[in-house]
């Protein structure tokens, strides 16, 4: 299965020859292709070398994307992509680091990391494949499944309410918050590009169709709309919050797609860079520290 | 006398640890080698803290029960230590707190009032009285204070120390030795410095006794050592951040204790499968669970040897003193990178928070090791199967390379696979890497021994019990064998060291004999286990008595 790749590959040649095993009709395909295009276009338009992109995956159907794109990748473990991404960014802030995570993966297992990455304003992009169900483990409920959802572990239907991840991220301090939908591919690609270029923590919740376990295509088609220019003031917390609360992942309401919030703040990684700059002779520094203790 | 033991005791919050370190510095200034054992319960104020400082002309690393001088801030510090007091013991106590004692009573309340000095300077009065009792000159005392006390508090401390000095009489004379004044460092500090010697660029940790001080020390010296020091939300994040750093080319280490290591085990397995180097400083304390958080233990050996799902090679080293801590922390990090395996530096509270004279010039550093890097030719494959099981490294951002790290079973390029042949090849590559590491280690001092080979009796020990064993062995005419690397187990070197061992005793700070179990797994008969599991290390005299029974 290992592909042979011609040297000097063109920017568009980003799909790997790894065999794709997603179900027909899965929303992950749109995410894959739009991410591929976003990377290719950013590389051409902004002059970012392709080798500077890194995809970090969680575990779930979404995580397979790390195999399917022919860029640097770290196919990690369930819920833990974000601290790994932060480490990568600390080591090399020139990289464009994109976490592809699932809603079970990141809102259940990895929630603490998500909140803290937002709090720190770590310079990474998090793309949540939010199909509102566990795909790879065959159909259990997730933190964003609607009340009453009947999954394989909850045949009587859940009585819990879903969390609104955008509201959570706003409260946690994320500096860029957006929502996309896998049936609006052009829009999705633009959201990806914008988020990747944002300096600081970017978060995109992508309403992703799970064709097998929770196909909400009709529901989303009926409710989703793209935010118009100026409909939210993306620099104002209250304005973003109002729009974010329009739909709570449960009740019948219009579902806004687009960027809700985007502000500039210092990033977590930048203050650490000065410490390790240059090529210091650390053994001499060790001696110095010991000498000071005499 | 040539050798001295001083105990200083008081309530938590009175600065007993700092005072103990000043006492060590006092002896160190006169050319003595010092060791300090610090004992404290898990509370911030009150309770009973004490430090035992031993000074000797030769290297030491353990305490003894009897003391020559006892410095008591409260009645507990006398009542709790009656067994340590003998006819030659001089007691110096705070007369404003202690109701029943014989010795020099220093009215600390009065002194501090008269000198308008803060409470914490009471330590200096004790230090002053100790100097006088030990026949140490005022200049030496003042020198030590000048070096340990921040400038703005120096004056008050000097005045109070002078009052202590005047409040006692000379009882014996500590003769200055010709040797240099060695700095006194803790195991934690030297672990941090050893890691930097080995190439550390980032240290990541979440606070947990007994390794929190690695975090504090390195954070304090981040600029001076040109490293990043990070404290994220929990230990899961700690190890994953370190793996992210390493994947992107930066050498990272983490520190924790048993409870935090529990959380790190999923990251440890990931490091094993994805072949990402990381060094874990694992300071043992008594478990299970929260256990005795501020005390000592050697009960996590099999946990670190077996932690994580599946099978993968790892390096586990257990240094026994500062020289070994420095050399092996550096080597653990370097070999971790050379073989792309996780490495664990296994310490415990006794070593981590114990303070020792440290002579960096006496450390025999191990050879430098470099990671195998991609030479840039052909197509890059992260998991290329080359001889020895080690694949050349490239890092993201490198032109012409697609670097794919993977937690799944993967092919050479790093793509997920579930194919039978690929799975077998991957396993065999990992095993081969472990064997290469094992071969490399044969050139290192992986097993150390002390004493005559034909002694007829051998004490086997590991980690911080080393020095108590060495001293006890000298008294009993026995030999000591100390394996420093516990995985991959140095079977050959251990066998060699045990030729003509005679009667064998295995000394450990746990209740089940974990080293003995490991030895049996490798086909060795560990002899009689001598165990202590009350959260305290062996005192030399205590161990002598226990071993005398075994060897009699
Ligand atoms: C620690 C751990 N717990 C459980 C699992 C099993 N597991 C694999 S994928 C998954 C859920 C995936 O759901 P989601 O994140 O929503 O991703 P999707 O498959 O829907 O893309 C679980 C529970 C695991 N791999 N690791
Ligand atoms: S189970 Fe759902 S999410 Fe997973 S591949 Fe199939 S359609 Fe996609």
């Amino acid at each position: 299965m290992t592909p042979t790749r011609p040297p000097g590959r063109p920017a568009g040649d980003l799909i790997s020859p790894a065999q794709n095993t997603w179900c027909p009709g899965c929303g992950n395909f749109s995410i894959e292709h739009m991410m591929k295009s976003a990377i290719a276009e950013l590389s051409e338009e902004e002059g970012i070398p392709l080798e500077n992109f890194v995809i970090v995956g969680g575990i779930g159907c979404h995580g397979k994307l790390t195999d399917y794109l022919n860029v640097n990748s770290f196919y990690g473990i369930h819920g833990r992509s974000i601290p790994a991404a932060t480490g990568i960014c600390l080591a090399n802030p020139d990289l464009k680091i994109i976490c592809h995570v699932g809603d079970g993966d990141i809102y259940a297992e990895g929630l603490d990391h998500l909140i803290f990455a937002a709090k720190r304003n770590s310079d990474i992009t998090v793309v949540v494949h939010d199909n509102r169900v566990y795909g790879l483990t065959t159909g259990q409920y997730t933190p964003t499944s609607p009340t009453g959802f009947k999954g394989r572990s909850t045949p009587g239907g859940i009585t819990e309410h879903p969390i609104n991840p955008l509201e959570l991220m706003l409260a946690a301090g994320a500096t860029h918050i957006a929502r996309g939908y896998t049936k609006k591919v052009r829009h999705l690609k633009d959201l990806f590009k914008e988020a990747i270029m944002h300096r600081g923590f970017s978060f995109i919740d992508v309403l992703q169709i799970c064709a097998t376990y929770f196909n909400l295509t009709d529901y989303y088609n009926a409710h989703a709309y793209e935010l118009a220019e100026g409909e939210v003031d993306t620099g104002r917390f209250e304005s973003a919050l109002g729009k974010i609360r329009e739909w709570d992942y449960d009740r019948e309401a219009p579902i806004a797609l687009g960027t809700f919030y985007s502000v500039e703040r210092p990033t977590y990684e930048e203050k650490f860079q000065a410490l390790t700059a240059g090529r210091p002779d650390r053994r001499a520094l060790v001696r110095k520290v010991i000498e000071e203790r005499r | 006398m040539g050798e001295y033991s001083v105990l200083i005791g008081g309530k938590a919050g009175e600065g007993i640890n700092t005072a103990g370190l000043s006492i060590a510095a006092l002896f160190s200034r006169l050319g003595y080698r010092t060791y300090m054992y610090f004992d404290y319960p898990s509370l911030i104020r009150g309770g009973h803290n004490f430090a035992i400082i031993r000074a000797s002309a030769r290297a030491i690393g353990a305490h003894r029960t009897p003391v020559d001088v006892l410095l008591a801030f409260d009645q507990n510090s006398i009542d709790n230590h009656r067994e340590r007091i003998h006819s030659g013991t001089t007691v110096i106590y705070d007369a404003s707190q202690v109701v029943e004692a014989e010795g020099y009573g220093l009215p600390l309340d009065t002194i501090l009032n008269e000198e308008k000095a803060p409470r914490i300077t009471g330590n200096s009065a004790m230090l002053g009285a100790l100097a006088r009792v030990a026949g140490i000159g005022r200049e030496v005392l003042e020198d030590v204070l000048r070096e340990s006390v921040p400038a703005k508090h120096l004056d008050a401390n000097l005045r109070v120390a002078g009052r202590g000095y005047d409040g006692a009489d000379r009882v014996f004379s500590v003769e200055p030795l010709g040797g240099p004044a060695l700095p006194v460092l803790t195991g934690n500090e030297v672990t941090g410095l050893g890691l930097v010697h080995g190439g550390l660029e980032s240290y990541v940790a979440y606070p947990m006794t007994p390794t929190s001080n690695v975090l504090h020390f390195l954070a304090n010296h981040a600029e001076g050592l040109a490293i990043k020091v990070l404290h994220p939300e929990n230990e899961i994040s700690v190890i994953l951040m370190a793996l992210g750093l390493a994947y992107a080319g930066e050498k990272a280490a983490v520190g924790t204790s048993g409870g935090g290591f529990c959380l790190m085990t999923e990251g440890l397995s990931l490091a094993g499968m994805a072949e990402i180097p990381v060094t874990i400083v694992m300071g043992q304390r008594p478990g299970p669970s929260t256990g005795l958080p501020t005390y000592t233990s050697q009960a996590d050996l099999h946990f670190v040897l077996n932690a994580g799902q599946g099978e993968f090679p790892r390096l586990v080293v257990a240094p026994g003193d500062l020289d070994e801590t420095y050399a092996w922390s550096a080597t653990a990090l370097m070999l971790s990178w050379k073989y792309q395996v996780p490495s664990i530096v296994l310490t415990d509270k006794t070593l981590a928070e114990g303070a020792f004279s440290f002579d960096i010039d006496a450390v025999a550093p191990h050879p430098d090791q470099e990671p195998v890097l991609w030479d840039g030719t052909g197509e890059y494959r992260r998991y290329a199967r080359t001889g020895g099981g080690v694949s050349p490294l490239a890092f993201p951002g490198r032109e012409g390379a697609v670097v794919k790290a993977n937690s799944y079973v993967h092919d050479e390029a790093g793509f997920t696979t579930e194919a039978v042949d690929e799975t077998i090849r991957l396993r065999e590559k990992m095993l081969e890497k472990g064997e290469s590491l094992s071969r490399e280690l044969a050139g290192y001092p992986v097993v150390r021994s002390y004493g005559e080979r034909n002694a007829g009796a051998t004490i086997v020990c590991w980690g911080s019990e080393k020095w108590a064993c060495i001293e006890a062995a000298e008294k009993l005419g026995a030999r000591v064998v100390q394996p420093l690397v516990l995985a991959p187990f140095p079977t050959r070197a251990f066998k060699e060291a045990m030729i003509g061992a005679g009667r064998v005793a295995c000394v450990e700070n746990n209740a089940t004999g974990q080293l003995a179990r490991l030895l049996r797994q490798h086909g060795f008969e560990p002899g009689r286990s001598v165990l202590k599991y009350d959260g305290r290390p062996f005192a030399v005299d205590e161990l002598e008595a226990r071993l005398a029974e075994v060897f009699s």
Side-chain angles (χ1 to χ4, degrees):
Chain A
M1 189 173 67
T2 292
T4 43
R5 194 167 30 77
R9 78 205 143 105
D13 179 22
L14 287 172
I15 300 293
S16 84
Q19 192 198 341
N20 193 306
T21 58
W22 285 324
C23 309
C26 176
N28 281 327
F29 287 105
S30 315
I31 300 180
E32 174 187 0
H33 287 282
M34 291 310 105
M35 184 51 68
K36 173 208 68 182
S37 303
I39 290 175
E41 289 175 23
L42 285 178
S43 182
E44 279 188 26
E45 293 160 9
E46 308 281 340
I48 303 167
L50 283 176
E51 58 267 19
N52 277 15
F53 289 91
V54 183
I55 303 281
V56 186
I59 295 294
C61 296
H62 60 273
K64 298 180 176 182
L65 188 63
T66 48
D67 273 343
Y68 301 159
L69 290 186
N70 220 352
V71 293
N72 298 311
S73 64
F74 186 118
Y75 198 166
I77 47 178
H78 198 45
R80 311 300 176 209
S81 33
I82 288 187
T86 304
I88 296 167
C89 192
L90 279 159
N92 186 350
D94 293 336
L95 299 174
K96 294 285 178 204
I97 301 146
I98 306 151
C99 294
H100 281 273
V101 298
D103 48 323
D105 177 63
I106 209 66
Y107 301 143
E109 196 82 279
L111 186 61
D112 46 357
H113 307 307
L114 182 67
I115 289 173
F116 274 87
K119 169 182 184 287
R120 296 182 181 115
N121 198 28
S122 196
D123 188 13
I124 59 176
T125 298
V126 177
V127 176
V128 185
H129 298 220
D130 192 354
N131 54 14
R132 309 176 68 197
V133 67
Y134 285 10
L136 198 60
T137 47
T138 66
Q140 300 87 358
Y141 84 106
T142 78
T144 50
S145 301
T147 313
F149 176 84
K150 291 187 165 76
R152 295 188 68 189
S153 59
T154 54
I158 54 166
T159 52
E160 303 167 35
H161 290 280
I163 57 167
N164 178 343
L166 278 66
E167 189 175 347
L168 190 69
M169 286 294 92
L170 188 67
T175 51
H176 186 91
I177 299 173
R179 183 191 288 133
Y181 172 35
T182 51
K183 294 274 179 194
K184 300 245 185 216
V185 288
R186 287 288 257 292
H187 184 247
L188 192 59
K189 183 187 71 183
D190 291 341
L191 291 181
F192 287 166
K193 288 171 73 177
E194 196 193 349
I196 294 169
M197 291 314 291
H198 173 77
R199 262 191 90 257
F201 183 80
S202 318
F203 172 85
I204 311 176
D205 192 58
V206 181
L207 301 175
Q208 174 228 326
I209 304 303
C210 172
T212 303
Y213 294 109
F214 200 22
N215 197 336
L216 289 171
T217 308
D218 294 341
Y219 183 84
Y220 290 152
N221 284 348
H223 292 80
Y225 72 100
E226 286 177 34
L227 283 170
E229 186 81 38
E231 203 174 330
V232 277
D233 179 349
T234 56
R236 270 188 57 235
F237 187 94
E238 291 74 17
S239 172
L241 184 62
K243 209 36 144 177
I244 281 171
R245 283 183 167 166
E246 191 173 79
W247 179 57
D248 67 357
Y249 287 69
D250 217 3
R251 113 182 90 72
E252 285 275 325
I255 304 173
L257 305 174
T259 301
F260 295 80
Y261 191 63
S262 194
V263 295
E264 290 288 323
R265 270 206 282 122
T267 68
Y268 176 64
E269 291 80 10
E270 65 193 54
K271 79 167 172 145
F272 291 101
Q273 295 317 315
L275 288 167
T276 44
R279 292 189 146 264
D281 174 4
R282 292 201 177 84
R283 291 189 180 173
L285 300 177
V286 166
R287 286 241 163 212
K288 215 169 135 224
V289 167
I290 294 175
E291 281 313 311
E292 283 162 8
R293 295 288 289 271
R294 259 183 213 275
Chain B
M1 252 189 291
E3 187 201 298
Y4 309 92
S5 259
V6 179
L7 182 147
I8 182 161
K11 293 182 183 57
E14 285 184 324
I16 299 300
N17 193 6
T18 322
L21 291 171
S22 299
I23 293 171
L26 197 60
F27 284 101
S28 180
R29 175 55 51 98
L30 299 174
Y32 284 79
R33 306 284 303 224
T34 59
Y35 165 74
M36 177 175 103
Y37 165 66
F38 180 47
D39 189 302
Y40 62 106
S42 184
L43 48 76
I44 305 302
R45 299 217 170 263
H48 178 60
N49 287 9
F50 68 94
I52 298 179
I53 303 90
R54 236 180 116 205
S56 165
R58 50 168 282 188
I60 46 172
H63 69 287
R64 284 181 177 273
T65 308
V67 296
D68 302 304
V69 182
L70 191 153
L71 306 167
F73 280 101
D74 57 10
Q75 191 67 42
N76 269 342
S77 303
I78 292 174
D79 296 346
N80 292 359
H81 299 285
R82 297 244 174 242
E83 51 161 8
R84 304 182 190 279
I85 301 174
H86 53 92
S87 58
T89 304
T90 307
V91 178
I92 301 165
Y93 59 91
D94 177 0
S96 18
Q97 302 288 327
V98 176
V99 287
E100 198 198 325
E102 274 171 43
Y104 296 101
L106 300 176
L108 285 190
D109 282 355
T110 317
I111 295 177
L112 297 178
N113 263 335
E114 286 173 10
E115 300 297 340
K116 296 191 176 46
R119 183 83 221 152
I120 196 76
T121 60
N123 281 327
S124 293
M126 289 291 190
L127 193 66
L130 168 68
R132 182 61 169 276
V133 165
I136 297 172
R138 240 181 229 275
E139 343 60 73
V140 178
L141 168 69
E142 290 181 356
D143 242 30
V144 167
L145 285 173
R146 240 171 244 122
E147 242 144 68
S148 55
V149 178
K152 68 173 181 182
H153 302 302
L154 182 61
D155 241 30
N157 277 279
L158 286 174
R159 290 197 309 273
V160 173
R163 296 284 297 266
Y165 198 87
D166 297 334
D169 303 308
R170 193 171 69 78
V171 178
F172 53 91
S173 280
V174 176
E175 296 305 329
L177 302 175
L182 291 175
V184 178
L185 279 85
T186 64
N188 277 328
E189 291 170 335
V190 169
T191 303
L193 294 172
L195 289 170
V196 177
H197 181 99
L200 182 79
E201 293 167 290
S202 287
Y203 184 76
V204 199
Y206 186 86
M208 189 167 187
T209 308
T211 54
S212 297
N213 286 328
V214 180
L215 173 63
H216 303 165
F217 174 72
L218 290 179
N220 256 309
H221 289 84
E223 259 169 69
L225 294 168
I227 57 170
K228 301 184 186 107
V229 179
L230 309 152
H231 164 187
E233 63 273 21
N234 55 38
E235 289 86 349
I236 298 171
S237 190
V238 164
I239 189 158
L240 265 296
M241 265 195 199
L243 296 181
L245 282 155
Y247 163 76
E250 203 161 284
K251 298 193 174 78
V254 307
T256 190
S257 179
F261 188 68
C262 286
L263 294 178
M264 289 185 183
T265 54
E266 59 170 352
L268 180 73
S269 294
L270 171 58
M273 177 53 101
E275 304 192 40
I276 302 176
V278 62
T279 301
I280 302 169
V281 180
M282 203 349 246
Q284 300 166 94
R285 66 190 220 190
S289 197
T290 306
L292 285 176
T294 61
Y295 290 90
T296 202
S297 164
Q298 295 184 308
D300 294 332
L301 174 58
H302 287 274
F303 182 30
V304 304
L305 290 174
N306 298 296
Q309 335 93 286
E311 301 162 311
F312 55 92
R314 69 189 76 190
L315 172 63
V316 178
V317 303
D321 57 24
L322 294 194
D323 296 24
E324 290 170 358
T325 300
Y326 189 81
W328 281 103
S329 301
T331 291
L333 190 122
M334 291 190 283
L335 289 180
S336 200
W337 275 81
K338 182 162 177 187
Y339 292 94
Q340 299 165 35
V341 294
S343 61
I344 296 166
V345 180
L346 193 55
T347 70
D348 59 24
K349 187 261 177 177
T350 308
L351 175 61
E353 296 194 344
F356 306 66
S357 297
F358 183 50
D359 184 1
I360 191 168
D361 295 316
V363 177
H366 298 157
D368 286 348
Q369 299 286 358
E370 294 297 333
V372 182
L373 300 177
W374 183 49
D375 64 7
T377 59
E379 186 189 343
Y380 181 67
R381 289 164 172 247
R382 171 64 189 86
Y383 299 105
R385 289 179 201 112
T386 56
V390 177
S391 314
L393 286 171
F395 308 115
R398 174 81 180 262
E399 203 184 329
V402 175
V403 186
K404 293 186 103 61
N406 199 334
S407 70
Y408 270 84
V409 168
H410 45 261
D411 66 12
E412 284 190 77
F415 287 102
T416 306
T417 172
E418 298 184 343
V420 169
D421 53 342
E422 291 285 0
T423 306
I424 294 172
R425 277 201 284 268
L426 176 76
R427 291 276 169 259
E428 290 176 351
K429 172 193 193 295
M430 282 164 64
L431 292 179
E432 194 184 351
K433 203 168 67 152
E435 280 154 23
S436 304
L437 169 64
S438 212
R439 265 195 308 279
E440 171 107 54
L441 283 164
Y444 284 75
V446 286
V447 177
R448 294 186 75 182
S449 40
Y450 305 84
E452 299 296 324
R453 200 178 268 283
N454 55 5
T458 299
I459 303 166
V460 181
C461 66
W462 60 289
S464 67
E465 289 305 300
K466 163 185 171 171
W467 279 98
C469 290
I470 290 176
E471 280 197 54
E474 281 170 3
K475 173 86 172 276
L476 301 167
R479 175 180 161 82
V480 175
V481 171
Q482 173 209 10
L484 269 145
V485 171
L486 299 166
F489 191 77
T491 313
R492 236 231 197 108
F494 189 76
K495 193 175 197 170
E496 209 286 310
M498 293 298 280
I499 292 171
R503 276 173 302 167
V504 177
C506 203
V507 174
E508 305 184 58
N509 262 160
N510 58 54
T512 57
Q514 298 205 2
L515 177 64
R517 174 151 44 119
L518 183 66
L519 295 178
R520 263 185 231 109
Q521 277 172 10
H522 290 279
F524 298 101
E525 178 39 58
R528 287 267 296 276
S529 275
V530 175
L531 307 176
K532 184 167 158 81
Y533 37 86
D534 58 2
R536 280 76 176 167
F538 274 112
V540 177
D541 47 301
E542 177 190 15
L543 183 58
E544 278 167 6
R546 294 278 301 275
L547 285 167
E549 282 170 32
V550 174
F551 289 142
S552 69

